[in-house]
Structures are given as structure tokens and as C-alpha cells.
Amino acid sequence: MAQAPPPHGPGRVTSLHLAARTGEPTFRVAEVRAVTGRGLAGDRNYWAGEGPRPRRRGTGRASGVCDVTLIEAEALEALAREHGITLTPGECRRNLVCREIRLNPLVDQEFQIGAVILRGLKLSEPCARLEQLVRPGLIRGLLHRGGLRAEVVRGGTIRVGDRILPLPHHARQLVPPVPSLAPEPSTQWRVG
């Protein structure tokens, strides 16, 4: 039986995934550029519009906007063990698959991945569309452990193997924001 991840890290990034457009399959990359206020360069959720990213798009349960999605590798392992549903890191459609850190406590918290600072926005609960793509029972199997939606507070490069460290409350005030500059298309991400 797998152990639950430690509550406060440090954890690590085990894989990175992007999808060029909504509904398209994800592809694995070795590194990705996180851009403050815009998201992950090359991903379907990257905000390339004018001005700041809107906080909501449309209506309904999935209307919240986020820059990055994360999931615990241990949650995928539990899904297979407890519900007989095998979901690869790419099939879960989250950008970052993490190990050895619990993500739920990071809602409303800042945390560091490499040099990048993210802020947890809310849980990323599984949706009916994902269940349709995989198989019935997925929503129940990932309920409250489907990952985390986060925003980029300070941009930079995220790489497979980077450590994930929750920031103590007093450290958050010391982190200066980085200007939001989109990287050149050729340097957005590197396939692993």
C-alpha cells in the first residue's frame, strides 16, 4: 500500500504536460516557461490576449480560469488501486504531475517550483468530460484529489525534477514580482 505524501513537501515534479488546444491530447515536455499572469507558454490555457487575463470565462462549473493545473502521482496510483481505473499522467490532463507533496493544503497558499512561484487557487475537481474520455467512475475516484488550479505569481522555467516547496507566510512578502513577458515561441517549451 502506497504511503500518503507528506503534507508540506518538499515534493518534486515528475512530469509536465501541455495541450496546444482545448480537447487535443496532451504531450509531454521536459521543461516549460511559466509567464506571470498568462500561464504556461504553449498550453491551451495560456492567455495571449491583450491586457490582464479575465478571472472567469463563460458560466458553469469549469468557468474558473487558471494558469497551471497540478495533480499528485499518488492520487493516480490510488485511483488504479481503489477503483481499477488506470490513468496515465498525460490522460489526467493536468500540466504538472507531482510526487511527495499534498496539493489540497496549497489552496490560497504560495509555493515555489524551481524559481517559479505559484499560488493555489482552488481544487481541480474531475469533470464529466474527463470521465467520458476515460471511463465511468473517474469522478468518484478522483473527487477531492483531482489536483490543484494555480496562478503564476513569479514566472520562470519549470523542469521535470524541480522541487516543490510551500512558502512560509512571512517569505511571501519577500518575493518580488517578475514582469509578465511572453517568451519567444521557440523557447516556450522543450519536448523531453
Side-chain angles (χ1 to χ4, degrees), residues 82-171:
E82 297 167 10
H83 298 273
I85 300 173
T86 302
L87 195 61
T88 67
E91 289 173 325
C92 73
R93 304 198 58 80
R94 303 300 186 251
N95 298 124
L96 282 69
V97 178
C98 310
R99 185 170 288 284
E100 300 167 357
I101 188 163
R102 293 191 47 220
L103 297 173
N104 289 14
L106 297 178
V107 172
D108 294 325
Q109 301 295 315
E110 289 184 2
F111 54 101
Q112 185 167 352
I113 302 178
V116 174
I117 305 291
L118 300 178
R119 178 181 302 114
L121 298 173
K122 67 180 189 175
L123 298 183
S124 187
E125 297 290 9
C127 64
R129 175 72 177 133
L130 184 59
E131 186 170 74
Q132 289 172 344
L133 292 172
V134 180
R135 86 174 230 210
L138 180 76
I139 290 176
R140 185 181 25 169
L142 285 179
L143 189 63
H144 305 311
R145 57 183 179 185
L148 179 70
R149 292 174 181 231
E151 67 181 340
V152 179
V153 175
R154 182 175 76 187
T157 301
I158 298 174
R159 295 177 179 85
V160 171
D162 278 352
R163 288 174 36 125
I164 304 168
L165 297 166
L167 293 176
H169 185 33
H170 67 276

Side-chain angles (χ1 to χ4, degrees), residues 53-69:
R53 174 196 289 271
R55 299 314 302 165
R56 295 187 64 76
R57 65 171 177 243
T59 60
R61 185 170 162 232
S63 64
V65 175
C66 69
D67 297 338
V68 183
T69 56

